[in-house]
């Protein structure tokens, strides 16, 4: 990984943790983020404050949907590796604000791809999602399976991002690696995620919404495991595969897709019980029907990740949630910091 690294979404959950790891390993990192108000901007600024004291870290506030701003960013600074994590997240929010997903996940990504093309970067890694598997019923989800039936606009934009990246990889020989993340959790996480909002509501004595009456499973993946996998992949830019066997996970272009998950799906009601033990509180359940855009279960087949970089998830859900709860109590116990509604 030669040269300065660009991390988009550096004030976000994964971007913050990844930037901190890269800095610890001696890399120079430029982080960019729009600091939008999709969730509490104060949390984003608090993450940034953890990074900005490092001499090898720089930050620019950039809206990636602004074509001129992104072009100026790439024209000013050469990057060896670009890790594109910035996106409008959230399946449910995509039902309410579809245009923000087009602006961030499509227009913003095209602008990043154009910057990478002009610079001829050595490696572009980009965040995708387990949501791209959509209506697939075969578990575990495999990168070798087709993903042609998204069930939310969010998922559709992430799949479109994969296809756009492949086209640039094919046309301009940009080494590209797609990262399909599975339900990431941990300290400094996103307040819109279930584990975060459940924690707030349980501590406040409020009922928690449990969709499909709890008959759901998720492949919860601890943030440190995510960062470990991405860091290993960052040093492995894909190469041209002349004998490509028409595998959806690969390409004749320098392009690869990987699942990054725990490979251990947990039933939602079991998850709530583990969280209750970590909090020392009982939850009041509000059992609700299935939400539009949701899927019954997710499970990552990480065989390719293990084969390529020796990755195996290491964090047990009980340990990971205990670490999150410890951070949550500490962070929101600080003077002047209010728990978000």
């Amino acid at each position: 990984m030669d040269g300065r690294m660009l991390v988009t979404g550096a004030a976000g959950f994964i971007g913050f943790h990844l930037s901190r790891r890269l800095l610890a390993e001696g890399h120079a990192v430029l982080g960019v983020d729009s600091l939008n108000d999709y969730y509490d901007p104060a949390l984003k600024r608090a993450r940034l404050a953890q990074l900005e004291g490092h001499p090898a870290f720089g930050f620019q506030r950039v809206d990636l949907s602004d074509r001129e701003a992104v072009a100026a960013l790439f024209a000013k600074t050469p990057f060896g590796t670009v890790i594109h994590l910035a996106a409008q997240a959230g399946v449910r929010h995509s039902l309410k604000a579809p245009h923000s997903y087009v602006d961030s996940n499509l227009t913003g990504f095209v602008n990043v791809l154009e910057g990478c093309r002009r610079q001829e970067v050595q490696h572009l890694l980009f965040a995708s999602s387990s949501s791209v598997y959509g209506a697939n019923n075969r578990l575990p989800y495999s990168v070798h399976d087709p993903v042609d039936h998204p069930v939310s606009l969010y998922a559709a934009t992430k799949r479109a991002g994969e296809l756009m990246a492949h086209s640039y990889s094919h046309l301009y020989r940009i080494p590209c690696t797609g990262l399909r993340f599975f339900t990431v959790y941990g300290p400094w996480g996103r307040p819109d995620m279930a584990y975060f909002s459940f924690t707030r509501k349980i501590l406040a004595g409020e009922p928690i919404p449990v969709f499909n009456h709890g008959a759901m499973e998720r492949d919860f993946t601890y943030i440190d495991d995510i960062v470990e996998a991405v860091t290993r992949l960052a040093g492995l830019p894909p190469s041209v595969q002349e004998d490509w066997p028409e595998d959806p996970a690969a390409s004749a272009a320098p392009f690869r897709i990987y699942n990054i998950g725990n490979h251990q799906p947990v039933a939602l009601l079991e998850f709530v019980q583990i969280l209750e033990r970590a909090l020392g509180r009982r939850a009041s359940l509000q059992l609700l029907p299935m939400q539009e855009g949701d899927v019954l279960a997710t499970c990552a087949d990480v065989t390719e990740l293990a084969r390529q970089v020796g990755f195996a998830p290491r964090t047990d859900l009980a340990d990971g949630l205990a670490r999150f709860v410890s951070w949550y109590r500490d962070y929101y116990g600080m003077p002047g910091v209010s728990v978000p509604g």
Side-chain angles (χ1 to χ4, degrees):
M1 293 183 281
D2 298 328
R4 196 170 199 185
M5 305 183 75
L6 174 65
V7 177
T8 74
F13 176 30
I14 299 175
F16 157 68
H17 281 277
L18 180 63
S19 295
R20 190 164 61 175
R21 168 70 177 269
L22 294 171
L23 292 167
E25 292 188 351
H27 299 286
V29 175
L30 178 64
V32 302
D33 203 291
S34 68
L35 297 175
N36 67 28
D37 61 358
Y38 169 62
Y39 63 81
D40 185 13
L43 178 57
K44 300 177 183 181
R45 295 191 187 98
R47 295 181 187 129
L48 272 181
Q50 300 282 313
L51 301 172
E52 289 179 324
H54 198 290
F57 181 77
F59 176 74
Q60 293 186 34
R61 185 170 182 173
V62 177
D63 182 344
L64 295 180
S65 66
D66 184 333
R67 186 190 307 178
E68 293 182 359
V70 176
L73 171 72
F74 278 89
K76 183 178 180 180
T77 307
F79 302 111
T81 301
V82 173
I83 305 179
H84 176 54
L85 304 175
Q88 177 58 62
V91 168
R92 291 168 191 141
H93 188 65
S94 69
L95 303 178
K96 303 174 184 177
H99 292 95
S100 65
Y101 289 78
V102 174
D103 294 341
S104 296
N105 301 0
L106 300 182
T107 302
F109 193 16
V110 166
N111 291 339
V112 169
L113 287 166
E114 275 292 288
C116 292
R117 176 183 69 83
R118 291 191 180 98
Q119 273 204 11
E120 298 182 351
V121 299
Q122 300 166 19
H123 193 186
L124 166 63
L125 300 95
F126 64 93
S128 186
S129 168
S130 61
S131 296
V132 301
Y133 289 102
N136 286 21
N137 290 319
R138 185 166 66 177
L139 293 176
Y141 290 153
S142 171
V143 292
H144 303 293
D145 293 336
V147 283
D148 299 325
H149 299 91
V151 295
S152 70
L153 180 65
Y154 168 69
T157 62
K158 299 308 274 186
R159 177 56 178 153
E162 294 179 351
L163 296 173
M164 291 191 301
H166 181 268
S167 70
Y168 270 70
S169 180
H170 170 76
L171 291 169
Y172 308 114
R173 287 300 187 255
I174 302 171
C176 290
T177 300
L179 313 166
R180 290 178 180 167
F181 297 133
F182 281 68
T183 316
V184 190
Y185 75 100
W188 296 98
R190 276 180 24 218
D192 63 314
M193 295 294 286
Y195 71 93
F196 204 118
S197 63
F198 283 7
T199 296
R200 181 186 67 80
K201 288 178 181 292
I202 291 170
L203 290 175
E206 300 174 4
I208 61 174
V210 178
F211 293 101
N212 202 40
H213 304 280
M216 301 173 73
E217 292 185 341
R218 288 293 180 268
D219 198 347
F220 295 97
T221 314
Y222 190 64
I223 184 61
D224 288 0
D225 291 329
I226 292 285
V227 168
E228 179 65 32
V230 175
T231 303
R232 294 188 190 191
L233 287 170
L236 187 72
S239 56
V240 172
Q241 187 175 343
E242 299 291 355
D243 58 344
W244 173 53
E246 298 192 24
D247 178 357
S251 172
F255 179 91
R256 299 294 182 274
I257 292 282
Y258 295 96
N259 287 335
I260 304 182
N262 197 40
H263 192 59
Q264 295 289 331
V266 174
L268 184 54
L269 293 180
E270 181 183 351
F271 165 81
V272 171
Q273 292 170 354
I274 295 171
L275 183 58
E276 286 176 325
R277 289 194 290 270
L279 290 167
R281 301 277 189 93
R282 293 297 300 273
S284 172
L285 307 184
Q286 181 185 14
L287 300 178
L288 298 170
M290 189 78 162
Q291 283 203 132
E292 288 295 328
D294 252 340
V295 295
L296 287 174
T298 65
C299 177
D301 181 340
V302 294
T303 303
E304 287 302 313
L305 198 56
R307 186 171 67 86
Q308 290 293 336
V309 295
F311 170 82
R314 301 176 60 182
T315 309
D316 176 78
L317 180 59
D319 291 338
L321 281 178
R323 294 176 205 172
F324 166 74
V325 167
S326 177
W327 168 82
Y328 186 98
R329 290 184 184 278
D330 180 63
Y331 181 78
Y332 288 112
M334 293 167 56
V337 178
S338 61
V339 178

